[in-house]
Structures are given as structure tokens and as C-alpha cells.
Amino acid sequence: LIEVMTLMFILEEGTFREISEFRYALETQALALAMEHISQKQLADIEYYMSMLEKTPEEDMKAYYDKKIHYTITAASGNRFIIDNLQALTAVMDVFIKDMRAKILSDGSNSEGLMAAHREMVEALREKNMEKGMQALKVHFEYIYEYIDG
């Protein structure tokens, strides 16, 4: 899957915006399914990753915990196709947009907004509040688009 996505991206001259929009579509459904299927263990893990994301000063560790939050939400969806596609997509993005997460998180104005969006997603999962979760995910991707488009 990673090879297919990589070839598609290269041969079809994909843009970072397009690949991010595909990720947003997958994460939207992953979050919706996670609202229904998340286990207490997964929720506890996400809350731990969120606390570490807020505490750690190192940008590479912030990027690590950011990924862990998204991976755990994706896993909580229980949908193997979403899980596999998001993992492949993340691998492709990591190759072509090297250190994107760390760069976005290192920008002071983006960092707090992204942090708040992550916090809102975690709270929404805890509360099983779909509207709040979808709004937080929308805000999250607006920061990514601003970084990519800017």
C-alpha cells in the first residue's frame, strides 16, 4: 500500500494538499468510528499521549506523541481498511514532507492552536461528543493546510 501511494503521488504529481485532504477524509471516519468503539484502555492511552504532548519540550517527541494520538484513534475505529490506509499514508507523508509535524508544532502560533485541537479531540472522545470531535479535527487540519499552503 505504501508503494502504491508513493507511486501515485510521484507519477500523478500529487500535491501535499491533496494527500492531506485524503488523510482528513480517513481521519474523519476513523474518529466517528472511534466514538463508538474506543476501549477504556485506548482512551487512557490517548489521554496519556496528550499529557506527554503538552509536557515535552522536544519537538521530535511532540511529533511522536501527536502521531501516537492519531494512531490510537485510528486503531480505535476498528476498521482495518482505514487503519492500513492511514498508516500507509502517514509513511508516504513522512517521506515527502519530512518532519512536517515537528515543523508545524515548532511554530508558536500553530503549536498552541494544534495543542488545543488535540485536547478537544481527546475530550470529545471521553464525552463521546461527535460534533465537538469533528470540529476539533476540522481545526486541526486547518492548521495543517495553513502550513502547507503558506
Side-chain angles (χ1 to χ4, degrees):
L1 203 51
I2 294 169
E3 291 172 7
V4 169
M5 284 187 185
T6 301
L7 282 173
M8 284 177 62
F9 185 76
I10 293 170
L11 295 176
E12 296 181 19
E13 298 179 4
T15 66
F16 298 135
R17 176 70 183 225
E18 288 175 319
I19 205 164
S20 292
E21 289 169 344
F22 181 50
R23 178 180 158 213
Y24 182 32
L26 289 171
E27 287 206 37
T28 298
Q29 188 60 28
L31 183 61
L33 291 169
M35 290 279 177
E36 299 173 27
H37 303 294
I38 195 163
S39 70
Q40 287 304 311
K41 166 83 167 89
Q42 288 168 322
L43 185 56
D45 288 347
I46 289 171
E47 289 176 337
Y48 169 76
Y49 301 141
M50 185 68 227
S51 72
M52 295 307 292
L53 178 62
E54 292 176 314
K55 289 177 190 172
T56 188
E58 296 91 18
E59 298 307 326
D60 61 331
M61 290 308 296
K62 284 184 185 294
Y64 171 79
Y65 288 116
D66 179 289
K67 277 185 183 182
K68 294 294 279 182
I69 290 168
H70 289 275
Y71 283 151
T72 307
I73 291 170
T74 302
S77 78
N79 184 304
R80 178 66 27 221
F81 288 98
I82 292 173
I83 294 166
D84 290 347
N85 274 278
L86 269 170
Q87 286 178 343
L89 187 59
T90 299
V92 171
M93 289 179 79
D94 285 350
V95 168
F96 289 102
I97 314 175
K98 188 147 181 62
D99 300 325
M100 179 179 80
R101 290 175 198 262
K103 288 176 185 172
I104 293 172
L105 290 169
S106 69
D107 180 327
S109 61
N110 282 344
S111 181
E112 186 46 45
L114 267 177
M115 199 71 72
H118 284 97
R119 239 181 266 118
E120 290 288 315
M121 275 191 280
V122 173
E123 288 173 12
L125 282 164
R126 187 180 326 110
E127 298 164 4
K128 298 209 181 282
N129 184 331
M130 185 74 71
E131 186 177 329
K132 183 177 185 175
M134 290 302 151
Q135 179 59 32
L137 193 60
K138 179 180 182 276
V139 168
H140 178 277
F141 274 89
E142 285 172 353
Y143 280 102
I144 292 171
Y145 296 151
E146 185 177 315
Y147 173 78
I148 290 171
D149 295 341

